[in-house]
Amino acid sequence: MTNSDTKTKIPNDLTWVVILAFTVVWILFIHSRAYSTNEASRMASIESLVHRGTWVIDGSSFDHTLDKIQVNGQFYSTKPPILSFLGAGVYAVLHHGFGQTLTWQECIPDLLETNCRAILELDEVSWAHFFLVLLLVSTPATIILALTYRLARRRGFANWSSLLFTAVLGLGTALFPYSTVFSNHILSSAGIFVAIYVLLVNQNPTPLQLGLAGFAVTLAGTVDLSAGIYLIGIFIYVLLVYRRTAVYFFLGGLIPGLLTIYLNFQITGTPLPPQLFTQGYDYEGSAFLTNPGGHRVSGNVGEYAFHLLVGDRGLFSFYPIVLWFLYGLVRAVQAANMRTRHLAWAYAGASLLYLAYFVFRTHSFGGFGFGTRWLINPVPAMALFALEPSLYRVKPVLNTAVIFLVGLISIINTYPGALNPWRSAYPLFRLTFTLPEERQLIPVALSGYGSYTHVSPEIRSSFGANTVHRRWFDARSSLVVPQGETWWFIHDSTPLPPSLSAPFGLDVPQAYALNADLSETAWQWMNTFANEVYQSPALVPTSETAVSPVPLPLSFIEDGDSMALHGYQSRQDDAELTIITAWEIETREYPVGERKIFIHLLAEDGTIVAQKDFFAATYETLFPGDLFFQQQTVLLEGLPAGHYWLQMGVYDPVTGARLTADGFDRLLLQPVTISQ
């Protein structure tokens, strides 16, 4: 195609329909807030840049992410900084101009009818997150699809077939699920796509067009480091084919390239991006201490490659339409047009190296996500090579039927990923047809892990595509016991104290994975707890004020959500008073906020002289029937001798409002005497 071809007016141009239709699709499926550790890592940087003017993420509401490094005692995101830098610009406008604020809020799409989609959760949505996704992720996807439609029309395809091809690319590949969350893959694939598009449709590109191609593919390589393979491949092609003007490609790439180096210096003090700053992973509690960036070689490379392409996480299993795109690329390397042929060879070579890197240097398929998200990058640009009219001249009806069939399968496969991109699932076909199986519920409780993906991949793979219900707790002061057989994953940075481990015979001080049914043991232990509390008309009972015993359990209820106190234990010495409370999660009403349990030591005049308020789990991740034990310690040192009372209760930390149990907003546990 010549430059003049690109200026030809398209009859009945429906580019605006493509843009409008896919913008509506993104709006319908964008999620209401960031809910993965991957997104949290970037959101932490964006929030910190706008609120505190620093890349340091300490103090961010997203700093729980495990995707972080430590430099000079401070934590930073591991993610390449340029997308977060662009996001900070957008967020600054949203925050300062429209009063929108990024905050972390747990979201479990599989538990909600809304699947945490913004359009269905208008009361819960973080509009700052919504517009960050729409502008920096969904919009690049829309550009890919609009340009795909335009190239199809310019090459003589009818409107209906151009729209069909564009729809299958947009809804039947990983573009769909990963355009609904804040990740780098769509922007990266858009950069590669634009570079190939410019060089494919302009056989004699102008300096400006070469500069645009260089800018786009370099941006891709700075947003996603693995996409640098395409930068090298395309640069070699430009250098060999456009020797005299290749400098413009280089100059275009300098803009994102130099900016990224400058941002890297701000974070690591070196040109290295955070992800490659290996010494930054060497800190207590690091999830990547032994394999910086989370990458290591698979134990079985052949099996891993099989599943990467056609197995459980296979590119062609989830998106069989990519086979047609690949066919177009294979035909393009044999094209009569020399420049098209050379460009196809450059792209095919880069794609093989890209695939080889992930086959031989990784092991996790991109973590706990839908399909293999790493393989998004090659797909949109590969689709351009399938827009060659000669592919459809032989048996056009059969070709159209095949594309329609594999496109339909691709769309059916992709739809569940759009509802929750951060989960694994099986495609309809994995080399051979698999009959649908009823999924089991696998209870999992995690402590010290910022992401489920950091659990042993061998154990996770044994779960298959069954539904994994994850509870998050801090084992240093609590223990969650779901009903029935459960998996516990406890990191060595959050060891169980003896007071919580001994009743279950868990004499393991370091990190471990445990598969057991502890529910019967938990109930037996709970039966040894004090099962009576007190109420009094006075804030602090005195000898003249009667106290009334109240039997347990008592349910603390708010908006249909309830948790019941079944009992407590206490242990006192001269220095501290330790209370263990035993709870049962009764009913859940999603979405729900967090909870805190308060323990107050009251002096005779009602003054709170010592207290401990917290909830050592992510409350929204607990399920009905779960038992929850929490240990809280108040310090007694320095308190005058005398008589005190211990009170406890539950409150919402966002509103500060106490929950009530049978009309009581606090319960008196026991009197406490401190001797001289």
Side-chain angles (χ1 to χ4, degrees), residues 497-663:
S499 56
L500 293 177
S501 61
F504 297 93
L506 303 178
D507 188 18
V508 185
Q510 301 302 319
Y512 61 91
L514 171 68
N515 178 225
D517 183 351
L518 299 180
S519 53
E520 183 177 352
T521 305
W523 279 108
Q524 291 174 353
W525 184 36
M526 193 183 296
N527 288 334
T528 68
F529 283 44
N531 59 3
E532 190 174 70
V533 293
Y534 302 95
Q535 277 300 321
S536 172
L539 179 60
V540 179
T542 64
S543 57
E544 293 81 19
T545 307
V547 293
S548 303
V550 180
L552 297 177
L554 282 175
S555 299
F556 288 84
I557 303 173
E558 182 180 53
D559 297 331
D561 189 272
S562 67
M563 55 185 288
L565 176 67
H566 277 261
Y568 72 94
Q569 287 184 347
S570 65
R571 184 180 67 253
Q572 181 181 347
D573 57 30
D574 292 339
E576 59 188 28
L577 172 63
T578 298
I579 301 293
I580 298 177
T581 49
W583 304 82
E584 181 184 10
I585 306 302
E586 294 183 309
T587 59
R588 304 311 313 270
E589 189 72 30
Y590 295 97
V592 67
E594 288 301 309
R595 300 285 184 262
K596 281 192 177 181
I597 300 171
F598 66 84
I599 299 288
H600 294 166
L601 189 62
L602 302 177
E604 291 181 299
D605 62 357
T607 304
I608 299 174
V609 294
Q611 71 181 87
K612 184 66 70 173
D613 298 10
F614 63 82
F615 194 88
T618 303
Y619 181 68
E620 197 171 40
T621 67
L622 304 183
F623 289 82
D626 287 355
L627 302 181
F628 178 68
F629 299 89
Q630 176 160 297
Q631 176 176 292
Q632 291 165 270
T633 300
V634 293
L635 300 179
L636 304 180
E637 287 184 312
L639 295 180
H643 300 286
Y644 300 83
W645 267 90
L646 199 65
Q647 73 170 6
M648 64 82 59
V650 180
Y651 66 93
D652 183 330
V654 176
T655 63
R658 291 186 182 183
L659 278 66
T660 59
D662 284 352

Side-chain angles (χ1 to χ4, degrees), residues 356-561:
Y357 168 77
F358 286 107
V359 168
F360 293 104
R361 298 298 300 169
T362 69
H363 71 288
S364 67
F365 303 101
F368 197 71
F370 185 80
T372 302
R373 55 191 174 90
W374 290 329
L375 299 186
I376 298 175
N377 274 331
V379 172
M382 191 185 299
L384 294 175
F385 294 100
L387 287 174
E388 170 54 50
S390 62
L391 295 179
Y392 305 85
R393 288 175 185 150
V394 179
K395 300 181 179 179
V397 176
L398 177 62
N399 286 338
T400 301
V402 169
I403 293 173
F404 178 81
L405 178 61
V406 296
L408 182 61
I409 294 172
S410 298
I411 293 172
I412 293 172
N413 274 336
T414 304
Y415 179 75
L419 299 179
N420 184 6
W422 302 116
R423 69 162 175 193
S424 62
Y426 282 149
L428 289 177
F429 298 91
R430 294 173 286 155
L431 191 61
T432 56
F433 180 73
T434 56
L435 292 175
E437 301 175 357
E438 183 179 354
R439 295 188 179 184
Q440 298 178 348
L441 298 180
I442 300 179
V444 168
L446 303 104
S447 174
Y449 292 86
S451 170
Y452 174 67
T453 60
H454 299 130
V455 170
S456 166
E458 288 77 13
I459 295 178
R460 285 190 287 109
S461 63
S462 71
F463 296 159
N466 291 317
T467 302
V468 178
H469 280 178
R470 289 159 279 171
R471 290 92 164 153
W472 303 89
F473 71 105
D474 187 343
R476 292 171 296 185
S477 52
S478 71
L479 180 64
V480 177
V481 182
Q483 297 182 77
E485 185 177 335
T486 301
W487 278 92
W488 283 266
F489 300 100
I490 299 181
H491 195 272
D492 58 9
S493 63
T494 60
L496 274 169
S499 56
L500 293 177
S501 61
F504 297 93
L506 303 178
D507 188 18
V508 185
Q510 301 302 319
Y512 61 91
L514 171 68
N515 178 225
D517 183 351
L518 299 180
S519 53
E520 183 177 352
T521 305
W523 279 108
Q524 291 174 353
W525 184 36
M526 193 183 296
N527 288 334
T528 68
F529 283 44
N531 59 3
E532 190 174 70
V533 293
Y534 302 95
Q535 277 300 321
S536 172
L539 179 60
V540 179
T542 64
S543 57
E544 293 81 19
T545 307
V547 293
S548 303
V550 180
L552 297 177
L554 282 175
S555 299
F556 288 84
I557 303 173
E558 182 180 53
D559 297 331
D561 189 272

